[in-house]
Amino acid sequence: MKYLTPRRCAVTALLAATALLYCWNLSISGYGNEFYAAAAQAGGLSWKAWLFGSLDPGNVITVDKPPTALWVTGLFVRVFGLSSWSILLPQALMGVGTVGLVYLTTRRLLGSLENRIATGGALLAGAVCALTPAAVLIFRFNNPDALLVLLMTAAAYCTVRACQAASWRWLMACGALLGFAFLTKMLQGLLVLPGFGLAYLLFAQTSWLRRARDLALGVVAVVVSAGWYVLLTVLWPASSRPYIGGSKDGTFMDLVLGYNGLARIFGSSGGDSGFGGGKGMPGGMGATGTGFGGSPSLARLFSNEFGNEISWLLPTALLVLVIGLVLVVRRRLERDLALGLTVFGTWLVITGLTFSFMSGIVHPYYTVALVPAIAVLVGGGAAVAWSRRSTVPGTLALVSLVLAAGGWGIVRAWRAGYAWPVLGIVAGVLMVAAIGALVVTRRGAGRAVAAALVLALLSGGVATVAFSVSTAGTAHSGGVPTAVKTAKSGDMFGGGGPGAGREGKAPSGGGTKVELPAGVELPEGVSADEALEPGNRPGDEKSNTELIALLKSTTTQWAAAVNGAQSQGSLQLNSGRPVIAIGGFSGSDPAPTLAQFQQWVKDGKISYYVSSGGFRPGGGKSEIQSWVEKNFTATKVGSSTVYKLVG
């Protein structure tokens, strides 16, 4: 019983509540992002597909990201079989792990404070992490960002340990984790690296020479943990490995430096990927990706779907950062607190500015990478302010934090049209009561102080908690998941999409506006309505029971081939048979080549070609589709046009 201390009970309750939130009704989202789910399915059937992140077990082409996140889900599929839970549960567990690491890191940074206050601040940080809408969204979904955030948070914990102990071992562990973060989502995983290195230079209590040596060892760990896979793709003969999806030449480094790396920041893929450089993007999105994320500016993170997912406590975190910098300048902040401010302040600023001003494709859910930084700053800042509440500056700091959290929560709920006006009234009443209680009880003790604390927590968190719980109850699918739909959400991307007005309000007027799937370019003279007739829309095949039954009956190496991964994923998942995604995610990658496809057909390796109605991501007909239409007879299977390729 000695192990059942109040602190351990509280931490256990936090993690259990997080697990409940992230796992409750998890299967509501089905396979989530079917693009990654199909790759996990392939990895569960073929070790080569698992290693490279191939879209099908036959290893024609990979996903357009590194495969680390798929290694986890692929193993779950291999062990537990293909299901919604085996695809989505790993991300929920990553979320629980992230919350636990946020607690441990914050508790270590607050070691100079009174034990109960430090524990309370760490618990608050964990709760903020668990209840930010972006976190609830992504830790219940199978995009790679869940693993990315877990790895970066673990790296931050190692950085704090390294600085406190002047330990090269902890620093190398940090480097290894960031290397795998790179193998999860490339350059985004390294955005925190400069701040972590700066923290070690400033706070490791050892000589400057040793600090430089330790940092060099940390860099070596990054290079080794990331570089082994890059080297593997170089040394493995291209003829016996899948084509690296999203690249121009089938190499991993082209993916890093092009469409999925620097192009995301500067807005040009340098390639023909339908999603990378704006080719064929609907609604005038072009290379800047403005239809996904709005125009680059400091306001981006506070508006539209970005605001819905990440901004609720962002002003509070920024306020903590400003107050902390003032205290550092005045030398009124303890060493570990200044360390935490450096590690998580640089994380928030560098990553936040990158998301704000990047000109390439940017999606609101990327902002989940900011959640741990916001959580530690809010939890740690509140704990420090509470510990000094008997002073006038301490009381002013607490009141300011409550105003920032509660006030922006009210504004955000109003601008999103979420639970308005009831939520605004409740949050407003709680905020006024909390401010009054904090001022009256700043020198008091007992129940009155406890009541003030509870009011402060409720007023600051009621809006984001309500939005997060609603997000958890919403089914999510497709490649660009968004939080719960609100009264002012647009039809695309939760209010950040093309044609959305201020705060994503849908255009007025009746009727249904026809929207093309992202990346589709129409041939001259073809209307959007024709492109989206039944059987032409990518993804419609999964509801075609006749087609699924036909593919299930095949025995060839591949049951079918289809243009692009959007249709391939649903066909492969629902039929349980390998399907070739011609052109990969964008539909424009040169894999397979026409010669390869013709040879496979000659060898009897592909049973059917499923037409996408003449349209594909990236634009127009592919060479393969033109060849199939010229040499084989089309038949209707349900609503789909199918060509039989075997005798």
Side-chain angles (χ1 to χ4, degrees):
M1 297 297 291
K2 65 179 181 180
Y3 296 105
L4 295 178
T5 63
R7 184 170 77 178
R8 286 175 176 168
C9 289
V11 175
T12 301
L14 170 66
L15 297 181
T18 302
L20 178 63
L21 177 65
Y22 291 170
C23 295
W24 169 71
N25 201 20
L26 188 60
S27 59
I28 189 177
S29 296
Y31 291 124
N33 188 336
E34 293 185 341
F35 175 65
Y36 293 119
Q41 177 193 32
L45 297 172
S46 163
W47 283 114
K48 182 187 285 189
W50 176 82
L51 177 62
F52 288 105
S54 300
L55 283 167
D56 75 275
N59 292 287
V60 176
I61 190 170
T62 72
V63 299
D64 62 336
K65 300 285 191 301
T68 307
L70 293 172
W71 292 342
V72 180
T73 51
L75 287 176
F76 267 71
V77 170
R78 183 172 286 271
V79 174
F80 300 107
L82 178 66
S83 69
S84 176
W85 277 89
S86 64
I87 293 293
L88 300 180
L89 182 60
Q91 285 71 36
L93 298 178
M94 292 172 195
V96 176
T98 299
V99 170
L101 284 168
V102 164
Y103 167 82
L104 290 173
T105 307
T106 309
R107 183 64 182 79
R108 178 167 285 275
L109 291 170
L110 297 178
S112 61
L113 303 183
E114 180 186 335
N115 186 53
R116 289 203 298 180
I117 295 177
T119 299
L123 289 170
L124 176 59
V128 170
C129 180
L131 291 167
T132 299
V136 175
L137 173 67
I138 290 302
F139 289 131
R140 292 174 55 90
F141 203 70
N142 58 320
N143 279 8
D145 301 73
L147 179 60
L148 175 72
V149 173
L150 174 63
L151 290 170
M152 291 194 301
T153 307
Y157 174 78
C158 291
T159 300
V160 171
R161 294 294 300 265
C163 292
Q164 291 178 333
S167 168
W168 63 267
R169 293 180 178 85
W170 280 108
L171 203 58
M172 289 194 73
C174 169
L177 288 164
L178 290 181
F180 278 97
F182 174 83
L183 292 181
T184 301
K185 215 172 176 197
M186 297 191 176
L187 297 180
Q188 186 181 340
L190 301 182
L191 289 176
V192 296
L193 184 60
F196 291 1
L198 177 64
Y200 194 79
L201 277 177
L202 294 177
F203 296 100
Q205 294 183 309
T206 186
S207 67
W208 286 101
L209 184 61
R210 184 177 171 184
R211 295 182 207 191
R213 182 207 67 182
D214 294 350
L215 284 173
L217 290 173
V219 171
V220 169
V222 174
V223 173
V224 171
S225 61
W228 72 270
Y229 183 79
V230 179
L231 187 62
L232 175 72
T233 63
V234 172
L235 297 179
W236 198 296
S239 59
S240 66
R241 65 163 169 79
Y243 185 91
I244 305 299
S247 66
K248 292 182 295 182
D249 55 9
T251 65
F252 187 85
M253 288 310 298
D254 181 77
L255 192 62
V256 175
L257 299 175
Y259 146 73
N260 207 39
L262 297 178
R264 296 277 171 158
I265 298 176
F266 299 112
S268 176
S269 70
D272 296 327
S273 210
F275 291 86
K279 178 182 178 181
M281 297 294 283
M285 285 184 257
T288 64
T290 54
F292 292 113
S295 300
S297 71
L298 285 173
R300 175 183 274 173
L301 298 184
F302 296 91
S303 58
N304 295 323
E305 181 61 23
F306 280 89
N308 287 348
E309 293 183 22
I310 196 62
S311 76
W312 301 85
L313 293 175
L314 181 55
T316 311
L318 292 173
L319 179 60
V320 169
L321 186 57
V322 171
I323 295 173
L325 290 174
V326 171
L327 293 176
V328 168
V329 171
R330 298 182 61 187
R331 298 185 179 181
R332 299 289 301 276
L333 206 62
E334 291 83 352
R335 186 181 189 87
D336 282 350
L337 297 178
L339 166 61
L341 198 69
T342 303
V343 170
F344 292 97
T346 55
W347 179 341
L348 179 64
V349 171
I350 293 173
T351 305
L353 288 176
T354 300
F355 289 159
S356 295
F357 290 103
M358 60 191 292
S359 298
I361 292 175
V362 54
H363 300 307
Y365 70 81
Y366 290 0
T367 57
V368 69
L370 298 173
V371 171
I374 292 173
V376 174
L377 289 172
V378 170
V384 173
W386 183 264
S387 69
R388 305 180 185 188
R389 71 185 186 281
S390 61
T391 67
V392 172
T395 299
L396 289 176
L398 275 176
V399 170
S400 299
L401 295 181
V402 169
L403 280 172
W408 180 249
I410 294 172
V411 172
R412 185 65 246 164
W414 167 66
R415 296 181 73 177
Y418 175 74
W420 193 261
V422 175
L423 182 60
I425 295 172
V426 171
V429 170
L430 287 172
M431 185 173 65
V432 172
I435 292 172
L438 288 172
V439 172
V440 171
T441 64
R442 70 186 187 90
R443 293 182 180 274
R447 294 181 179 178
V449 174
L453 175 61
V454 170
L455 286 172
L457 294 175
L458 289 175
S459 64
V462 63
T464 183
V465 169
F467 203 89
S468 294
V469 172
S470 295
T471 297
T474 302
H476 298 99
S477 61
V480 189
T482 59
V484 60
K485 186 165 181 154
T486 67
K488 295 183 181 180
S489 294
D491 290 335
M492 294 181 67
F493 315 116
R502 182 174 179 269
E503 285 307 295
K505 188 172 182 178
S508 59
T512 301
K513 182 180 179 180
V514 174
E515 296 284 3
L516 287 174
V520 170
E521 182 181 85
L522 297 178
E524 185 176 353
V526 178
S527 70
D529 299 273
E530 293 173 317
L532 298 183
E533 287 177 356
N536 289 344
R537 186 194 301 265
D540 280 353
E541 294 87 353
K542 67 181 177 182
S543 61
N544 188 339
T545 56
E546 293 180 49
L547 178 59
I548 297 301
L550 180 67
L551 298 188
K552 286 182 177 180
S553 68
T554 61
T555 58
T556 53
Q557 181 173 348
W558 290 284
V562 65
N563 284 334
Q566 310 310 310
S567 297
Q568 180 265 350
S570 60
L571 287 176
Q572 183 169 289
L573 288 166
N574 286 279
S575 70
R577 295 282 295 131
V579 176
I580 298 174
I582 299 173
F585 173 72
S586 68
S588 300
D589 292 335
T593 64
L594 176 59
Q596 285 177 319
F597 189 84
Q598 289 172 331
Q599 186 62 50
W600 292 339
V601 172
K602 182 179 179 181
D603 295 341
K605 293 183 177 181
I606 311 172
S607 293
Y608 298 98
Y609 177 87
V610 181
S611 174
S612 55
F615 314 108
R616 66 183 181 119
K621 291 184 179 181
S622 67
E623 285 184 319
I624 291 174
Q625 180 160 346
S626 297
W627 177 77
V628 169
E629 291 178 353
K630 182 179 179 180
N631 292 278
F632 296 89
T633 302
T635 59
K636 275 288 184 180
V637 178
S639 60
S640 298
T641 301
V642 178
Y643 296 81
K644 187 176 182 180
L645 305 181
V646 293

